[in-house]
Amino acid sequence: MADLFASGRLVDFILVVVFLEATALLVYWSRVRRGISPRDLLPNLCAGLFLLLSLRATLAGSGWMLASFFLAAAGLAHLTDVTQRWRN
């Protein structure tokens, strides 16, 4: 189990699950126009994905610059999400 965490494979699995979840939600919304709209979903989803990518980069030993880039991108996505919610 420790190898699953240390290798980053668990993060890869979670990224696939998040991608499948996002695809299902977006397809559902496009067909019935109910649920979470893409405009509301994508900033939140991107923030989480960038956090996961930062963790993956760290576990892979990619260095601090790549992890910092992903963290900054997560912060911008989060700021976008909060701004959209604040306006609503």
Side-chain angles (χ1 to χ4, degrees):
M1 189 69 153
D3 290 337
L4 190 63
F5 283 95
S7 69
R9 296 285 182 217
L10 183 60
V11 176
D12 295 339
F13 175 74
I14 295 169
L15 286 168
V16 169
V17 170
V18 169
F19 176 77
L20 293 174
E21 176 189 18
T23 301
L25 288 170
L26 292 172
V27 167
Y28 178 76
W29 189 87
S30 69
R31 289 189 179 174
V32 298
R33 299 283 189 224
R34 293 181 60 193
I36 304 170
S37 73
R39 183 175 186 272
D40 295 332
L41 175 66
L42 291 179
N44 189 318
L45 190 66
C46 286
L49 286 174
F50 284 129
L51 287 173
L52 285 168
L53 289 172
S54 178
L55 174 61
R56 181 69 172 103
T58 301
L59 291 174
S62 297
W64 67 269
M65 288 183 73
L66 186 59
S68 296
F69 171 78
F70 287 134
L71 286 175
L76 288 174
H78 176 68
L79 182 62
T80 301
D81 183 40
V82 169
T83 301
Q84 283 181 355
R85 290 172 190 261
W86 194 275
R87 289 182 183 163
N88 291 338

